[in-house]
Every structure is written in structure tokens, then in C-alpha cells.
Amino acid sequence: MVQKSEKIWFDGRLVPWDEANVHVLTHTLHYGAGVFEGIRAYECADGGSAVFRLEDHIRRLLDSAHILGLTVPFDKDELVEACVEVLKVNGFSSGYLRPLVFIGTGAMGVHPGDNPIRVAIAAWQWGAYLGEEALEKGIRVRTSSFTRHHVNVMMTKAKACGNYVNSVLAKVEAVKDGYNEALMLDTQGFVSEASGENIFIVRDEAIKTTPLTSVLPGITRNSIMALAAELGYEVLEQLFTRDELYIADEAFFSGTAAEVTPIREVDHRTIGQGKAGPVTRLLQQEFFKIVKGENPDYASWLHRYEI
Ligand SMILES: *Cc1c(COP(=O)(O)O)cnc(C)c1O
């Protein structure tokens, strides 16, 4: 269960955790037309703290809102500042931030009328999303019976609340069947992404990830691509099939929550050696150095703050 913090930022004010409530006739609660972000802050080696790629996350939040036609009553700078404020007021030198933009009460038809657009930013402590052991040993994955969104059914560039019905269906199915995560295929049958993570495969030192068609443009995905290129790897954005994944030397998921999580098995096929491979381990290690401020080359990705 999520652990309570002191305050939540809600429509421009800091309110006590227990008072950050909405009415049951909140439009987004019924129809799903809201957008959100997941952002992590890390404690740095020098004792300070840093939010990882905060400005990029807020830009994507505003992009997601724009795609859904939601006019956010706060600008980028205000939201960036609010995120840092939430971490500080709760005394979090590290933690997870969850900004949410949603349509409030008023009209109850599908057309939201002039219902207010509301914004909340909560923070809580969240360890390794799929478990510490998952980061070390890798996870077991099944191809979902649910297909990832068609690009003209849902807006796949938006991190939209409603898009997550598909993710919840896939995730619950996978967990019920004894797996850690679901792999979804796109409407053409190519590998797409997981319930909330992008996917990478490695074969013969070349790295491949799904192009930005049916997948969310992950900020971790983008970070890993930049890092891998800098480390001298060839990085391709190319469609691939599930059997290409089966015969990969290595595979891993990327996401703010899941960070860099190795995949050790897919549909009962062992991937590579059945544990985190050397490329995955290197990227994971270097990724954690960057987020913790141990690689000055990537200082521009960190929004530093002090508690
Ligand atoms: C949030 C999310 C990701 C990962 O994006 P990050 O920016 O790396 O956190 C991947 N896929 C989906 C569907 C997501 O919602």
C-alpha cells in the first residue's frame, strides 16, 4: 500500500494528504480523459537530491493534455516548481512524483462542457517497482492476450488515464498467470511495450527498441538510447517480432517506475543466459550513476534541490 506523506499539491495549494479528495461525479473518474506523469527523485552522492529529467516529464504532461484537448491552468514553470515543492514539504530527499491532470465536476455527459481542469501532484516513497530482486536477476514475462492500442483508437503519445485500462487488463492477466509483467504486441503483431515500460533487445552487441508508433515516448527509453550510443553501441528503432525477442542475447524494460529491469524469460523461453546480461548490466549501472549525479556529463538531466 502507498505510504501517506504530509501534503499533496492540489490546484495550486498544498493540502493535507487526507484532504486531497474529489467528488464521485468527477468527469475523468467516469470516462478516463485525464493525463498523468510518473517522475523519480534520487538522493545524490554529494548529499543533495535531484529530480530526473523533471522539465521533460512536465513537457510530456502538457503534451499529453494538449493531445486530449485539455487546457491546463498552470504553465510549465509553475508545475516544475510545484513538483519540487511537494518533495520539499514532505521532506523527501528521494521519492516518486505523480502529477495528474483531470476533468472535474459539472457536465456529466461524455462532452465535458466547461468543467474545470484540475491538477494534483502527489509524492510518495516507491522502491524498485518490480522488486529489488527483479533489478538484479530479471523478470518473467508473458505475451499478453491483450493487444496494445491501435494508434487511431487511443492516442499513444499521451500518457492518458484511460489508456491504462489496456495496461491493467494485461498486467492483471500476467500476474494471475504467475508472471511479473505483460508484453503487448501492436495491432500488426509486432512487439510494442509492456503495461508501463518500453522494451529493448540486444543481439550481437546491437541494441533495438520499438519505434514510436504504438508506444509511449518513454523518457527512460530516450535516456537509455542516448547513453547506449555514447557508450558506442549501435541503437536501432525498428519493429521486431516476438520470436526475435525469444532469440535475443538480452532484453530489458525501461521506465521511470521499473528503471532498467532485465527480462530473463518470455513465454517460457529463456532469454540469453536467463539473467541480466552484460550490456543490460552496464546500462543499468550507468543509468543509476546518472540519476544519482555521479556522471557530470549528464548534469543537465538533473533538477537539483536540497531538503
Ligand atoms: C510511462 C510509460 C512508459 C515509460 O515512460 P518513462 O518516461 O520512461 O517513465 C512506457 N510505456 C507506457 C505505456 C507508459 O505509460
Side-chain angles (χ1 to χ4, degrees):
M1 216 169 82
V2 63
Q3 220 188 340
K4 210 160 132 171
S5 66
E6 286 282 314
K7 305 262 189 196
I8 290 176
W9 186 96
F10 204 177
D11 294 333
R13 302 189 301 123
L14 287 165
V15 301
W17 175 281
D18 289 323
E19 288 169 29
N21 303 315
V22 297
H23 195 272
V24 291
L25 295 187
T26 296
H27 196 276
T28 298
L29 193 56
H30 295 250
Y31 306 121
V35 299
F36 70 97
E37 270 303 318
I39 310 171
R40 273 190 195 267
Y42 293 88
E43 245 170 56
C44 296
D46 64 7
S49 296
V51 187
F52 186 61
R53 299 191 68 172
L54 176 57
E55 287 74 8
D56 294 318
H57 278 282
I58 296 302
R59 181 181 183 199
R60 188 174 66 189
L61 180 74
L62 294 172
D63 285 347
S64 297
H66 179 75
I67 289 168
L68 266 65
L70 306 173
T71 306
V72 183
F74 299 94
D75 66 19
K76 188 178 165 190
D77 292 344
E78 289 168 322
L79 294 169
V80 164
E81 200 180 311
C83 285
V84 176
E85 201 182 350
V86 172
L87 290 166
K88 282 185 164 182
V89 77
N90 288 301
F92 288 168
S93 55
S94 66
Y96 181 85
L97 282 163
R98 171 55 61 81
L100 172 71
V101 176
F102 64 98
I103 306 171
T105 53
M108 269 313 288
V110 170
H111 194 288
D114 58 2
N115 295 15
I117 304 301
R118 309 193 62 187
V119 185
I121 305 172
W124 61 84
Q125 294 299 316
W126 218 358
Y129 179 64
L130 295 156
E132 278 298 330
E133 198 181 292
L135 286 180
E136 285 276 320
K137 297 194 174 150
I139 59 168
R140 298 179 57 247
V141 173
R142 70 158 278 180
T143 302
S144 184
S145 74
F146 298 97
T147 301
R148 199 60 178 152
H149 300 296
H150 180 282
V151 294
N152 210 26
V153 169
M154 285 297 196
M155 299 293 101
T156 58
K157 301 287 175 292
K159 202 172 176 79
C161 301
N163 287 9
Y164 265 71
V165 174
N166 179 245
S167 297
V168 172
L169 288 168
K171 179 83 185 191
V172 170
E173 175 189 61
V175 170
K176 273 192 175 160
D177 287 350
Y179 299 85
N180 306 99
E181 187 51 276
L183 172 77
M184 280 183 282
L185 307 180
D186 68 16
T187 49
Q188 294 179 78
F190 292 100
V191 169
S192 176
E193 62 181 335
S195 64
E197 301 94 16
N198 296 112
I199 186 167
F200 287 81
I201 57 173
V202 184
R203 185 163 160 120
D204 298 334
E205 302 274 297
I207 300 174
K208 218 181 251 192
T209 189
T210 324
L212 293 179
T213 47
S214 65
V215 307
L216 188 88
I219 290 167
T220 319
R221 171 189 180 278
N222 175 271
S223 307
I224 293 295
M225 287 175 66
L227 172 63
E230 195 235 351
L231 292 171
Y233 293 102
E234 184 187 8
V235 186
L236 299 166
E237 292 178 271
Q238 219 173 68
L239 290 173
F240 57 91
T241 53
R242 64 196 278 181
D243 53 4
E244 189 172 343
L245 167 60
Y246 292 163
I247 57 169
D249 298 330
E250 302 178 32
F252 61 90
F253 285 134
S254 73
T256 297
E259 296 163 314
V260 177
T261 298
I263 300 168
R264 67 180 155 93
E265 190 189 305
V266 180
D267 300 340
H268 303 287
R269 276 96 175 156
T270 301
I271 304 302
Q273 302 298 309
K275 57 181 186 187
V279 178
T280 306
R281 281 220 313 276
L282 177 67
L283 291 169
Q284 191 189 51
Q285 203 179 320
E286 293 303 316
F287 175 76
F288 280 123
K289 274 191 202 159
I290 291 171
V291 299
K292 291 174 183 167
E294 291 167 34
N295 184 343
D297 294 349
Y298 293 90
S300 68
W301 281 353
L302 305 182
H303 188 112
R304 303 295 306 245
Y305 70 100
E306 303 282 336
I307 281 298

